[in-house]
Amino acid sequence: MPKEANTGFIEGWILDNPWPLSIMIVIAAVILVILAMQRDDRRLLKIALGTAGVGMVVLAVGLMVETAGESARGETRRFVQAAVDGRVDDMLGTLHEDATLHVARVENPGFPRSNLENALDGLRSRHRIEENSITLLDSAESPDGSVWVELACMTRTNSTGGWVPSRWILEWRRRETDPWRIRSITAMKIAGTVPRDAGILR
């Protein structure tokens, strides 16, 4: 992820994924209940019930609120599914008009959208996806409103014959009235190798 991308505590632990924190709070509440029963301490029991209530509130808030990161991860899943289905035109429609292709590092100079189009066009024929599994999907936000999604996949195409791991970073942006668009795609690693140029899907 870029250095400027990060997720704060409230968004990362409550709004984006409330389960780990909620479970920890409920476990603490259960321990307090056990101690309260052993000591016959009603005050400790009230604290335990209050702690459990906090855990439930954290979970409810997290499940009700959709963050920009969650939304961008959902868009990434749909983008990947379009690749699996061979709907390349839908993928191209998701790209920002000035979208760029980067290799190895997000900070490296980007290649123009035409290189992205050429890379994606290979999914129509020579690199047609037969099976795909997402193994990692994480996100972080930048101060400028961009959402960076780190994606890792295991993919089998008609040109590989076997499973190939890959890792990517997608930069998503949207305006208030516009849908999400991909501003850049960075190919971090494909088949255990760091790409050297824009011809990553030749």
Side-chain angles (χ1 to χ4, degrees):
M1 294 286 191
K3 293 180 180 179
E4 69 271 16
N6 62 77
T7 301
F9 176 82
I10 292 178
E11 183 166 350
W13 285 88
I14 298 178
L15 301 180
D16 205 33
N17 181 17
W19 288 101
L21 181 59
S22 299
I23 290 172
M24 287 189 289
I25 293 174
V26 170
I27 290 174
V30 170
I31 293 173
L32 289 174
V33 167
I34 294 173
L35 291 175
M37 294 177 66
Q38 290 176 342
R39 300 175 182 179
D40 193 22
D41 188 337
R42 292 186 178 181
R43 185 181 63 85
L44 193 58
L45 182 60
K46 290 180 180 179
I47 294 174
L49 294 176
T51 302
V54 170
M56 294 299 101
V57 170
V58 168
L59 181 60
V61 170
L63 294 177
M64 287 189 296
V65 177
E66 182 182 60
T67 66
E70 287 179 294
S71 181
R73 292 198 302 274
E75 292 295 330
T76 300
R77 287 186 181 277
R78 285 185 278 276
F79 186 75
V80 171
Q81 189 58 51
V84 173
D85 296 341
R87 293 182 282 110
V88 176
D89 289 339
D90 289 349
M91 299 176 74
L92 294 175
T94 307
L95 301 179
H96 188 277
E97 59 182 7
D98 297 321
T100 52
L101 172 64
H102 302 249
V103 293
R105 291 167 50 86
V106 172
E107 296 81 6
N108 288 343
F111 296 94
R113 175 177 167 141
S114 58
N115 292 96
L116 261 177
E117 294 175 349
N118 290 337
L120 295 178
D121 194 59
L123 299 175
R124 300 181 193 269
S125 54
R126 62 186 181 279
H127 296 306
R128 184 73 173 86
I129 296 175
E130 296 177 350
E131 291 185 77
N132 183 78
S133 176
I134 295 176
T135 58
L136 172 69
L137 195 62
D138 197 9
S139 63
E141 295 186 44
S142 289
D144 65 359
S146 297
V147 177
W148 299 85
V149 176
E150 184 175 3
L151 167 72
C153 296
M154 289 292 292
T155 310
R156 189 173 69 187
T157 71
N158 57 13
S159 61
T160 61
W163 290 93
V164 174
S166 63
R167 187 177 293 267
W168 312 80
I169 292 182
L170 285 69
E171 178 192 6
W172 292 89
R173 288 187 186 177
R174 71 173 173 186
R175 296 176 180 174
E176 292 183 1
T177 57
D178 295 334
W180 286 101
R181 290 283 184 265
I182 294 176
R183 184 66 183 80
S184 69
I185 296 179
T186 302
M188 305 293 290
K189 188 175 289 187
I190 299 176
T193 302
V194 177
R196 295 183 179 180
D197 55 43
I200 56 175
L201 294 178
R202 287 192 183 126

